[in-house]
Structures are given as structure tokens and as C-alpha cells.
Amino acid sequence: MASAPADDLYLAAHDGIGGRALLPRQVLGVALGAALLGELMFWGRVGLAGDALAVIDDRPTADQAASTVLGMLRQPSSSLGPREWIGHLSTVIAPALVEQRLTAAGVLRQETKRRLFSSEVSLVFTDPRSPGEPATRIRTHLSYNQPLDAADLMVAGLFLATGLDEMVLDTINPRDRARLQEQFRRNLPHPLHQLVAHALGLLR
């Protein structure tokens, strides 16, 4: 895992030069919600129990975003299934958590634009090349027929679910796209496959 999947997804969904989002905020929120839940599965904190999410290890993590989501999942009143949790996180929670994490890591920074009677604060990328790195890594692995790890497979699956692949994987040829579909089908663990499917279901 090169970096946290939700971070990679956020990066890939933005233009590095102007910081413009390539996806509507609601669509990006769904993908980020699924990716944050996927991170907890990678770290063995959450699993699927039938149609429900089950907390396996409720100890706080060293990551603030993951710990926040884990704290929500372990509340006694929490009885939502994966799709409902993705929808709940997608509103403002998931984008805000990922932006906070990227800002703390120095990937994003605040920029203030002053106007005549007001000022506007926005987030910009410290390195305008960083948004292109996740998709470039995935394209390179596919072109050399190298296996993607589970994190990159989940991110690529969320590219497909959101339509982001049409913008960031548009240069891969039919052979490489077939390789991606085959790896996704064969190598992505079932719980992560389900998260991608739930995200797709919310976006239809």
C-alpha cells in the first residue's frame, strides 16, 4: 500500500494544477466513505458479518481519520450495514477527514485569496504532481502486467464505480483494461469487493 487508499482516491480525483475536483462532491464522498471503511478492513479493525459491519478490534489507531470512523462504528446504537455507512460517511464526514489527514501530512495546504471586501480560503496541493501519482502507478503496473496489491485494486475499483477511470485511466489500452478487470475479479478480497459494489449501488 503506497499510501492510505482514501488519500490516493482523493488525489486522483483532483487536478493538480488548479485543484479542480474531477468528480461531483457527492460522488467523491461515496468513494471516500468506502475507502475509509476499506482501510479499517486492511488494518484488521473491521470485518463483514453477513450484511453488517462488525468491529473486530476497537482500539484507537494512530491515524485520526481511521480512529474517528472506528469510534462511530463501535457506538452501541450503530447497526447500519455497509451501504448505509458509506452513505452516512459520504455527506461531509469522509471528505473532511481525508482533507484533514492530507493537510496534516503537508500534501494539502490552505491558501487565502483576498478580495476587495472579503477573503476566501481554499485547499491547494503543495506539489501539483501528487494527484497524478496514484493513477500513474496503477497504469504502470497494468502496462507491465504486474499484479496490483489489494489497496490499489480497491482504489481502481472505485475509479470504475465513480466513472473516474474515464479521466485518469483513459490512456490504458483494451488489453490492460481487461487485465484490470481480471485482477479485480480474482484478487480483490471479498469484503473489499463488497464495499466497491455498495458504492456503485449508491451511485446508480
Side-chain angles (χ1 to χ4, degrees):
M1 190 188 307
S3 58
D7 293 0
D8 277 347
L9 189 62
Y10 185 96
L11 290 171
H14 286 81
D15 171 71
I17 303 299
R20 177 179 63 90
L22 304 178
L23 294 173
R25 189 74 171 180
Q26 179 184 3
V27 175
L28 178 59
V30 167
L32 292 176
L36 285 172
L37 292 175
E39 291 176 14
L40 290 174
M41 290 181 177
F42 281 120
W43 297 328
R45 301 306 183 95
V46 171
L48 284 179
D51 294 329
L53 284 172
V55 175
I56 300 169
D57 183 349
D58 65 357
R59 292 174 298 170
T61 74
D63 180 85
Q64 184 59 48
S67 292
T68 298
V69 177
L70 186 62
M72 296 169 63
L73 289 170
R74 67 187 181 195
Q75 293 297 318
S77 58
S78 169
S79 59
L80 300 177
R83 183 172 300 194
E84 291 75 19
W85 268 114
I86 293 171
H88 177 65
L89 293 171
S90 72
T91 52
V92 294
I93 300 168
L97 288 174
V98 175
E99 287 173 347
Q100 290 167 12
R101 184 164 65 185
L102 289 171
T103 301
V107 178
L108 289 173
R109 60 179 175 82
Q110 288 190 340
E111 182 176 85
T112 302
K113 294 182 179 179
R114 303 196 180 279
R115 305 185 186 279
L116 185 58
F117 298 110
S118 64
S119 61
E120 178 182 324
V121 178
S122 61
L123 292 172
V124 298
F125 292 99
T126 303
D127 182 351
R129 297 170 297 179
S130 59
E133 292 172 358
T136 298
R137 184 177 66 248
I138 290 171
R139 290 195 304 267
T140 301
H141 276 72
L142 292 172
S143 66
Y144 285 98
N145 199 20
Q146 296 172 340
L148 296 170
D149 63 22
D152 277 348
L153 274 177
M154 183 180 72
V155 170
L158 291 169
F159 287 176
L160 296 170
T162 59
L164 186 59
D165 65 300
E166 297 177 6
M167 289 168 271
V168 300
L169 300 182
D170 57 320
T171 58
I172 66 174
N173 59 42
R175 177 199 61 191
D176 292 346
R177 189 169 286 273
R179 286 172 175 169
L180 174 59
Q181 295 284 1
E182 182 67 10
Q183 287 195 41
F184 185 74
R185 184 177 66 84
R186 287 180 175 271
N187 300 338
L188 187 65
H190 176 71
L192 300 177
H193 211 295
Q194 289 295 99
L195 285 181
V196 174
H198 284 306
L200 178 60
L202 282 169
L203 295 171
R204 280 180 172 170

